[in-house]
Amino acid sequence: MSQKFAAVKGMNDLLPPQIETWQFLERTARELFGTWGYSEVRTPILEDTGLFVRSVGEVTDIVSKEMYTFTDKGDRSVTMRPENTAPAVRAYIEHGFAQQPVTRWYYLGPMFRYERMKTGRYRQFYQLGAEAYGSQDASQDVENIALAWHFLKAVGVQHVTLHLNSLGDAADRPKYLEALKAHFAPHLATFSDAAKDTFERNTMRLLDTKEEALKPLIESAPRVGDFLGEAAAKHFDEVKALLTTLGIPFVIDPKLVRGLDYYTRTTFEFIYEPPGGDNALGTAGTVCGGGRYDNLVKELGGPEKPAVGFAMGLDRLVLLLESLGKRPERRPLLFLATMDGELKAHAVKLVTELRTQGLFVDFDPRGGKIKRQVERASTLKARYFGVYGEQEHQSRTLKLKAMDLPDGDPNKEVQVGLDTLADWLRAR
Ligand code: HAM
């Protein structure tokens, strides 16, 4: 008896033709991030559970509810990475990079969070992230933000707004939390259980809750920007000024606290906000989130090294680009129909030679009726179609049909010699 299986809920197969969009994003990222001086790192999927508890924070949603954690056969508690900032910092310290003045890394790969699913939110999802270690200068924040901004532009995403905030330094935090608690405390009786829990465990996260009843209270809550120490306030001013110099528009969003505990000073998100109408991402409009985390390297046993970074949700970018009809096309330049017998070997040899010269040429291994091979060529949207028959073999020329042109067009059919075929195709 056979048995059929389906993918685990929240985990997607990435398949053709959408994979073209994925590869386009990945190609563009590698090129652009390299140009900006960021080198790729690949850390393991599994990490010591303690790494995330310590860095992302015990009372965050990610750590308290969403991690894929299990005990391995060696009796260690391991976790499938819910994010890549902590693993990157772990590797940065472990392999001595923290001894260097400035290090810039990027990564691209799957992350895992046991989240409630909806459009743009999955349990295995893909992040493209960039982290810069070693400088607390505002120019490092802005360089990192500008990288995200230019990447989004380069891949053709529009209508994303940069939301910006500063959470101040760790030393500024207690005063702010005190003010926040005092603001919410008198209303606790009216809170949902979830909101009460957030109040107790991670008060700042209340600013990010979506509960309607809380909205007026959140609007009137004290703003973290009013509690910045002198150094953090100056730094934030510099970040804003430099963004303006670079022509990168932003809005100040005093409620932008982010869902991870390691942030200090700058926090930012790029949010998809199309004018009116359809939003392909529904409520999962945040395509990129990041910020500064000046204490994490030290917290994880390294030297004093300030850092800043971001991660983008690639699944969301793919959804967006697909909704805009921006999938790059991959079409064979030439589809070569084959005849049976010895001629087929010659045709396959020609296809192989053209392919080794970097040309996308295809054929149907099943061969068969020419009519069916034409259909196959048009399904694949081949640009040119040719038949490798006895006459072509003898004369060493191919008659090619331009599949895109209508019958009767003077350029519909061309004769090309086999010796010049590669050059001819390359020029198309
Ligand atoms: P994050 O805000 O948790 O930050 O995630 C960054 C981005 O990943 C989100 O803005 C979203 O686009 C995408 N994302 C998150 N969860 C999901 C999901 N379940 N399904 C689909 N996409 C998702 C971080 O992870 C930080 N490590 C970012 C960072 C890097 N901060 C400093 N450096």
Side-chain angles (χ1 to χ4, degrees):
M1 260 272 271
S2 63
Q3 192 182 356
K4 248 189 179 171
F5 294 93
V8 171
K9 205 172 163 204
M11 312 216 163
N12 299 318
D13 295 311
L14 312 178
L15 305 169
Q18 290 83 0
I19 200 75
E20 298 297 339
T21 305
W22 285 90
Q23 292 181 342
F24 163 67
L25 288 170
E26 292 165 4
R27 263 195 317 273
T28 312
R30 289 184 199 291
E31 228 163 79
L32 191 76
F33 285 38
T35 309
W36 287 61
Y38 287 69
S39 306
E40 185 180 359
V41 294
R42 302 185 193 186
T43 61
I45 303 279
L46 289 182
E47 294 277 355
D48 191 320
T49 300
L51 174 66
F52 300 110
V53 177
R54 187 65 204 247
S55 56
V56 174
E58 201 157 5
V59 298
T60 57
D61 281 355
I62 294 178
V63 170
S64 66
K65 300 184 202 151
E66 297 168 358
M67 294 208 303
Y68 281 89
T69 297
F70 59 94
T71 307
D72 74 3
K73 291 191 167 51
D75 217 21
R76 300 171 202 91
S77 177
V78 290
T79 293
M80 292 166 75
R81 59 182 187 195
E83 61 105 54
N84 217 153
T85 303
V89 168
R90 195 248 328 121
Y92 169 77
I93 298 166
E94 187 174 340
H95 302 288
F97 286 86
Q99 309 318 319
Q100 299 178 7
V102 176
T103 302
R104 296 195 192 93
W105 281 355
Y106 80 86
Y107 49 80
L108 212 161
M111 310 294 153
F112 303 85
R113 296 183 195 176
Y114 196 82
E115 291 211 67
R116 203 172 303 148
M117 288 168 320
K118 57 181 186 180
T119 305
R121 181 180 294 160
Y122 311 107
R123 290 179 177 165
Q124 172 167 339
F125 60 99
Y126 292 77
Q127 281 188 344
L128 162 65
E131 317 280 354
Y133 313 92
S135 170
Q136 205 182 28
D137 197 80
S139 63
Q140 183 60 85
D141 305 53
V142 174
E143 176 214 67
N144 191 253
I145 295 171
L147 172 57
W149 165 253
H150 282 287
F151 175 75
L152 291 170
K153 270 189 136 171
V155 298
V157 169
Q158 286 173 332
H159 307 306
V160 285
T161 315
L162 168 58
H163 289 237
L164 192 68
N165 195 19
S166 173
L167 301 184
D169 288 311
D172 308 334
R173 200 68 58 83
K175 257 204 212 141
Y176 177 58
L177 287 180
E178 208 179 294
L180 213 51
K181 283 206 155 122
H183 173 75
F184 286 114
H187 310 275
L188 261 187
T190 65
F191 280 25
S192 69
D193 285 347
K196 272 185 198 147
D197 189 54
T198 308
F199 174 85
E200 290 302 334
R201 287 153 51 94
N202 200 347
T203 317
M204 221 159 65
R205 293 286 302 153
L206 271 180
L207 299 179
D208 205 26
T209 50
K210 303 279 179 279
E211 288 184 30
E212 270 311 309
L214 277 176
K215 284 212 166 134
L217 264 184
I218 292 174
E219 279 311 316
S220 58
R223 309 199 147 189
V224 63
D226 297 329
F227 290 78
L228 300 187
E230 206 177 308
K234 179 166 173 277
H235 178 263
F236 195 34
D237 285 341
E238 288 167 1
V239 167
K240 289 182 280 190
L242 193 46
L243 281 171
T244 305
T245 302
L246 296 193
I248 299 176
F250 58 87
V251 295
I252 300 295
D253 187 346
K255 298 194 294 290
L256 186 66
V257 292
R258 310 267 306 124
L260 306 92
D261 277 358
Y262 46 62
Y263 292 110
T264 53
R265 298 195 174 186
T266 317
T267 52
F268 60 93
E269 284 183 354
F270 285 91
I271 305 180
Y272 179 58
E273 292 166 336
D278 270 357
N279 182 342
L281 297 184
T283 52
T286 305
V287 294
C288 173
R292 190 164 263 295
Y293 48 99
D294 288 342
N295 302 323
L296 187 57
V297 176
K298 191 133 192 248
E299 284 273 318
L300 295 178
E304 192 104 33
K305 286 280 178 183
V308 59
F310 66 78
M312 302 207 183
L314 285 179
D315 306 75
R316 293 178 187 185
L317 292 181
V318 169
L319 271 178
L320 251 184
L321 292 183
E322 291 271 321
S323 79
L324 299 172
K326 290 201 175 174
R327 183 190 306 152
E329 270 195 321
R330 246 179 69 76
R331 308 167 55 181
L333 259 174
L334 168 65
F335 187 99
L336 195 61
T338 61
M339 311 293 250
D340 291 341
E342 210 179 305
L343 280 173
K344 185 158 182 180
H346 289 294
V348 172
K349 183 161 176 267
L350 176 60
V351 168
T352 308
E353 279 165 6
L354 293 169
R355 285 174 169 175
T356 54
Q357 295 186 59
L359 296 160
F360 183 9
V361 175
D362 211 347
F363 75 107
D364 187 336
R366 299 168 304 166
K369 288 206 176 78
I370 296 298
K371 184 165 171 273
R372 200 180 70 184
Q373 297 194 54
V374 175
E375 281 165 11
R376 181 77 190 137
S378 87
T379 308
L380 295 172
K381 295 197 184 146
R383 287 187 203 280
Y384 290 92
F385 176 84
V387 180
Y388 195 99
E390 186 57 44
Q391 202 193 330
E392 285 78 11
H393 183 60
Q394 293 304 334
S395 65
R396 294 197 52 77
T397 54
L398 275 188
K399 191 158 63 179
L400 300 183
K401 270 202 173 103
M403 305 278 284
D404 289 338
L405 298 180
D407 288 341
D409 187 296
N411 297 316
K412 177 83 181 169
E413 285 198 0
V414 273
Q415 291 269 357
V416 185
L418 292 190
D419 296 334
T420 53
L421 183 58
D423 288 336
W424 188 87
L425 286 172
R426 198 167 291 117
R428 295 308 108 180

